[in-house]
Amino acid sequence: MALVNILVLLAIFQFIYFGIRVGAARGKYGVHAPATTGNEIFERYYRVQMNTLELLIMLIPAVWIAAMYWNSMFVAAMIAIYLIGRMIYLSAYVADPKKRDKGFALSLLPIVVLLLSGLVGAALSILKTGI
């Protein structure tokens, strides 16, 4: 379970890193707070950060629920795929938003797998022990 916790923390640090990239782009392209538009490249970094936040809010509870019922190495592998997917998403989206699909799929698919795993694990637990 320690590896799962470390990888969840890495996902949070990755989100912080994306925020730092947004701040750097804000300065580089002259998009002053509170504006979130004004330069296309800045907007790409901003969308990567916001999309990551949207997924992170699903990832963390899915991880902890799935980890209650399934092998921690399986859960850790799902988080690792998510982290790799997010980095691919960042690179692709900033270069050309039309090429973000692979990174997005590699980010979303592990979350869906973890959600389904948690649901199946909880259902099996109910069937085994009752509510």
Side-chain angles (χ1 to χ4, degrees):
M1 191 64 180
L3 180 59
V4 168
N5 289 333
I6 288 169
L7 289 169
V8 167
L9 291 169
L10 285 177
I12 295 168
F13 282 123
Q14 184 182 59
F15 177 70
I16 292 168
Y17 169 71
F18 290 172
I20 291 168
R21 298 288 302 262
V22 170
R26 190 177 282 286
K28 182 175 181 178
Y29 299 109
V31 180
H32 303 289
T36 56
T37 61
N39 177 279
E40 184 177 347
I41 302 299
F42 163 78
E43 291 170 15
R44 292 176 187 182
Y45 280 107
Y46 180 75
R47 280 308 313 146
V48 168
Q49 182 195 27
M50 290 299 99
N51 182 261
T52 300
L53 178 61
E54 293 161 0
L55 293 181
L56 198 56
I57 196 73
M58 293 183 279
L59 175 73
I60 294 172
V63 164
W64 285 330
I65 293 168
M68 291 179 66
Y69 304 105
W70 302 104
N71 181 291
S72 63
M73 291 306 289
F74 162 73
V75 175
M78 292 299 103
I79 305 167
I81 293 168
Y82 166 86
L83 289 167
I84 292 165
R86 286 285 84 197
M87 292 309 292
I88 293 169
Y89 184 81
L90 169 69
S91 297
Y93 198 99
V94 170
D96 180 1
K98 293 176 187 160
K99 296 183 179 179
R100 71 189 187 276
D101 296 348
K102 181 179 178 184
F104 184 75
L106 285 172
S107 302
L108 184 60
L109 183 60
I111 294 171
V112 171
V113 168
L114 289 167
L115 287 168
L116 291 173
S117 298
L119 181 62
V120 168
L124 290 174
S125 179
I126 288 172
L127 290 175
K128 187 185 228 181
T129 61
I131 295 178

